[in-house]
Amino acid sequence: MSLRKDNKSRESSQEPNQKEDVILETQKLTKKFGGLIAVNNFDLKVKREEISALIGPNGAGKTTVFNVVTGIYPADGGKIIFKGENLNGCKPHEVATKGIARTFQNIRLFSKMTCLENVMSGQHCRCSAGTWSSIFRTLKQREEERRTMKVAESRLNQVGLWEYRDMLAKNIPYGSQRMLEIARALATNPDLLILDEPSSGLNEEESENLMKFLKALLKERLPILLIEHDMNVVMGVSDWITVMDEGKKIAEGLPKEIYNNPLVIEAYLGKEEEE
Amino acid sequence: MMKKNKILKKAGILIVVAIALCIFPFVASTYLVDVAFFFGIYALLGLSLNIVLGEVGLFDLGHAAFYAVGAYTTAILNTRLGIPIFVLLPVSGLTAAGFAWLVCSPVIHLRGDYLCIVTIGLGEIVRIALLNDPGGLTGGPNGVFGIDRPTLGGPLVIDTSIGFYFLIWIVVGLSIFGLVRLQNSRIGRAWNCIREDEVAAEATGINVRSLKLLCFILGAGLAGLAGNIYASKMMCVSPESFTFMDSCMYFCIVLLGGMGSIPGAVIGAAAIGLFPEIFRSLAKYRMLFFGAAMVAMMYFRPAGLWPRKRGGSGVK
């Protein structure tokens, strides 16, 4: 857990007097694709020490929000504020370096690399060795490599995949691939973890383990924002839920409140009941 | 124990190969030594393209352009200003690298086939520019003649086949040493990540743009070194050595050997460089055999002759 420590120092140096406990905030976030307004004046708040969920029916724009926040798409309007800093116009790798780590809806691993290498790549943005220091193996470079290995080892252990370390990522079971992607995100020493449908494709037992895992991460003081379709997972882990439909926020609140909100039931849960 | 044995075995193989490479020129005919020299040039070019194509997965079908820039830098500076070839060795590498930086910066964001088409265009532009003899520097279709033998300016001159053989293989050896270390570093891993999934690499905090540029710069730099040695071996350079077909050959070296595999690039260079020589007696038909052999290899070993093996990281 010493890994988290250097993170904390990074955090505190960057925000001397952040009064609120909000780590990520979007203000009137807008994203258009041609004539389609995928995200429309969307406000989202993620608090420190909370698991927040973003839910909504298919095509509501949840993944687009994630892609805009992590810099994959540029925002067409509004602000993204992370730890008091404006993220608008940041490139994805800059966003990751600032402390937001993410996973993808359809797993995106480095499939022909080993699991260990996949997780090691997370430390890339925390190291600085260049071409020459890598060729001549300077002291600093070796120190960084050792640290990278240590972080990768502890993260792989954390998700319980250490035994797969030398296997290619494409050759491990689907559920493990999901966990490996989370381990890779964790290896960047993030201050916020964004998960895009982490439980999709997992069986009940795996979902159950995932929920335990996420709650354990929260104890590590790592806030999480997730998109999720599995209502058991959403209701089980989230402290705060934001509901989105057609690019707009239609409700937010505690899981209980959301569960009974007629607007939400109409837009989202209602469809589930019909089935 | 297992790990130690493996390292000993590897070191043993390396020493045997090194000794064999040292003895070879003294027992073989001049013809064979020259073939081995060109094998070395191909190996260096294969290694250089392997950075771009193999490690990062960028389709570069204009690699001959960087080779040409290195060769012509040496040729022009040596014949006009009389600068010794060895002094021009780093100069050629740096010029080719700088040229790569200049021309690749604006197009590096292009993906897959689009970048491929741009590199084909780049290769052709360089070749045609050399043909057109800009400023009377490149000598048009005739090229540049009268390049010196490699020397630092003193009495030590490399002017035998054996000398050239050692020169190229020392450069290849040093390149392999550097590239293996790069491969096992943060840079090499990030390159592979980009090849596997660019979006995920970026989201993991890898600066895709600058690492792609870096691979082009390093690849071009190595190709520039090859150009320098080639120019002084042939004593003349002309545009017909840097055609699209040559770029395709280097491409084949990497594909045949195995993308991202350093020994693969050398083996691929052997296949491309030695095969036509072996089948020289078949004269006209040798290219046919060559093509058939390539098809067969791609069918039976689609990942290359010596693909890179991953895993076995040696972590206890």
Side-chain angles (χ1 to χ4, degrees):
Chain A
M1 295 306 96
S2 59
L3 317 169
R4 295 288 307 162
K5 256 177 218 156
D6 36 5
N7 246 358
K8 287 294 164 205
S9 62
R10 187 155 52 83
E11 220 170 87
S12 52
S13 63
Q14 274 187 7
E15 25 133 26
N17 48 3
Q18 171 89 349
K19 53 187 187 298
E20 262 205 283
D21 56 348
V22 175
I23 184 155
L24 174 76
E25 191 178 1
T26 67
Q27 293 170 355
K28 295 200 185 315
L29 193 69
T30 304
K31 176 71 202 172
K32 295 173 194 156
F33 293 113
L36 176 82
I37 305 177
V39 179
N40 190 356
N41 284 323
F42 186 72
D43 294 336
L44 175 76
K45 268 184 193 170
V46 180
K47 288 186 185 153
R48 286 174 202 278
E49 318 200 359
E50 255 189 17
I51 297 182
S52 311
L54 180 59
I55 64 171
N58 285 336
K62 307 175 297 284
T63 298
T64 307
V65 170
F66 275 22
N67 285 341
V68 174
V69 166
T70 52
I72 290 174
Y73 301 146
D76 289 323
K79 266 186 185 170
I80 309 153
I81 297 159
F82 178 62
K83 294 192 296 188
E85 200 182 341
N86 196 338
L87 283 190
N88 287 51
C90 277
K91 297 250 168 57
H93 71 91
E94 291 167 335
V95 174
T97 311
K98 282 180 203 280
I100 301 183
R102 71 167 291 175
T103 65
F104 294 88
Q105 193 172 349
N106 42 344
I107 307 177
R108 303 189 81 134
L109 289 168
F110 308 125
S111 44
K112 284 183 203 150
M113 296 169 75
T114 64
C115 294
L116 186 69
E117 285 173 318
N118 265 276
V119 181
M120 282 169 92
S121 72
Q123 274 286 305
H124 180 90
C125 59
R126 302 283 170 246
C127 299
S128 62
T131 314
W132 297 114
S133 42
S134 297
I135 291 175
F136 294 112
R137 297 247 161 106
T138 57
L139 274 178
K140 194 176 159 234
Q141 194 262 355
R142 273 182 282 174
E143 167 58 35
E144 280 182 358
E145 285 291 299
R146 266 197 297 275
R147 199 180 69 213
T148 300
M149 186 60 91
K150 230 171 79 187
V151 172
E153 183 181 337
S154 84
R155 291 308 189 185
L156 263 183
N157 271 321
Q158 194 178 3
V159 296
L161 294 179
W162 180 240
E163 72 215 76
Y164 288 150
R165 64 191 174 275
D166 278 341
M167 283 176 72
L168 297 189
K170 64 174 179 183
N171 291 341
I172 66 172
Y174 186 85
S176 305
Q177 290 189 3
R178 283 236 169 256
M179 293 313 283
L180 181 61
E181 205 188 13
I182 295 176
R184 181 180 71 192
L186 289 174
T188 63
N189 295 354
D191 298 323
L192 170 67
L193 183 62
I194 298 189
L195 304 173
D196 199 344
E197 295 198 30
S199 81
S200 83
L202 300 189
N203 63 30
E204 225 159 272
E205 193 195 331
E206 286 168 328
S207 296
E208 203 64 38
N209 288 337
L210 178 77
M211 282 162 73
K212 274 185 211 147
F213 181 77
L214 294 182
K215 280 180 179 164
L217 276 183
L218 198 62
K219 286 206 188 93
E220 231 186 87
R221 304 167 66 83
L222 178 62
I224 296 167
L225 169 63
L226 68 151
I227 291 178
E228 191 49 76
H229 275 306
D230 184 336
M231 276 304 134
N232 284 329
V233 175
V234 174
M235 296 300 162
V237 296
S238 342
D239 301 301
W240 191 257
I241 295 175
T242 308
V243 190
M244 199 178 179
D245 192 18
E246 289 171 358
K248 280 181 266 188
K249 180 161 78 180
I250 57 170
E252 63 182 334
L254 301 170
K256 241 190 238 160
E257 299 165 358
I258 295 298
Y259 203 71
N260 299 318
N261 187 321
L263 263 174
V264 178
I265 293 168
E266 189 191 313
Y268 187 82
L269 295 176
K271 283 178 191 158
E272 295 242 313
E273 277 171 11
E274 274 169 28
E275 285 173 5
Chain B
M1 278 313 275
M2 283 285 282
K3 206 182 144 196
K4 218 175 184 181
N5 278 340
K6 249 187 183 167
I7 289 174
L8 276 175
K9 208 173 145 195
K10 254 190 183 167
I13 292 172
L14 269 181
I15 290 167
V16 169
V17 168
I19 291 173
L21 278 174
C22 288
I23 296 173
F24 169 76
F26 299 106
V27 293
S29 64
T30 312
Y31 165 70
L32 279 181
V33 174
D34 272 343
V35 169
F37 168 81
F38 283 104
F39 169 26
I41 289 272
Y42 274 123
L44 191 53
L45 287 166
L47 287 168
S48 73
L49 184 60
N50 183 48
I51 306 175
V52 182
L53 173 65
E55 301 288 354
V56 193
L58 300 176
F59 284 5
D60 173 6
L61 270 171
H63 208 62
F66 305 127
Y67 184 34
V69 168
Y72 270 86
T73 304
T74 300
I76 292 167
L77 289 181
N78 179 256
T79 52
R80 304 263 157 167
L81 304 175
I83 303 173
I85 298 293
F86 274 131
V87 176
L88 289 174
L89 185 66
V91 174
S92 305
L94 289 175
T95 311
F99 175 72
W101 176 75
L102 198 71
V103 295
C104 292
S105 302
V107 296
I108 201 72
H109 62 278
L110 296 175
R111 295 194 182 187
D113 3 6
Y114 301 100
L115 185 70
C116 181
I117 288 167
V118 169
T119 58
I120 293 173
L122 173 69
E124 284 302 284
I125 287 169
V126 168
R127 188 181 63 84
I128 292 167
L130 294 175
L131 269 177
N132 286 336
D133 197 8
L137 279 174
T138 68
N142 294 328
V144 182
F145 290 93
I147 302 158
D148 287 339
R149 291 303 194 185
T151 170
L152 261 176
L156 184 80
V157 180
I158 292 179
D159 52 4
T160 58
S161 289
I162 293 178
F164 271 105
Y165 167 88
F166 278 109
L167 173 62
I168 187 72
W169 281 100
I170 286 169
V171 173
V172 170
L174 289 176
S175 307
I176 291 177
F177 172 79
L179 290 173
V180 167
R181 284 197 153 186
L182 266 186
Q183 218 175 36
N184 295 315
S185 76
R186 162 181 185 267
I187 307 270
R189 284 193 302 269
W191 277 343
N192 291 165
C193 292
I194 296 171
R195 182 188 64 202
E196 294 301 316
D197 191 326
E198 207 175 312
V199 175
E202 252 193 322
T204 314
I206 290 168
N207 189 343
V208 170
R209 190 191 148 80
S210 65
L211 278 160
K212 276 184 174 177
L213 262 182
L214 176 68
C215 83
F216 261 109
I217 288 169
L218 284 180
L222 281 187
L225 297 185
N228 169 284
I229 298 169
Y230 173 80
S232 71
K233 165 82 181 173
M234 303 304 285
M235 301 179 83
C236 68
V237 287
S238 70
E240 69 197 51
S241 312
F242 311 104
T243 59
F244 177 62
M245 263 316 286
D246 290 282
S247 292
C248 291
M249 283 293 191
Y250 314 146
F251 205 85
C252 290
I253 290 176
V254 177
L255 287 188
L256 275 179
M259 296 243 281
S261 158
I262 288 169
V266 178
I267 298 285
I272 298 280
L274 303 182
F275 211 93
E277 295 299 330
I278 295 167
F279 286 85
R280 195 167 276 282
S281 52
L282 290 168
K284 270 186 209 163
Y285 300 103
R286 70 185 166 132
M287 285 317 270
L288 183 73
F289 275 89
F290 180 62
M294 290 241 294
V295 171
M297 260 186 280
M298 278 295 128
Y299 185 80
F300 291 112
R301 288 193 75 94
L305 289 172
W306 189 329
R308 179 170 174 197
K309 228 191 237 161
R310 288 188 176 272
S313 52
V315 189
K316 276 166 259 144

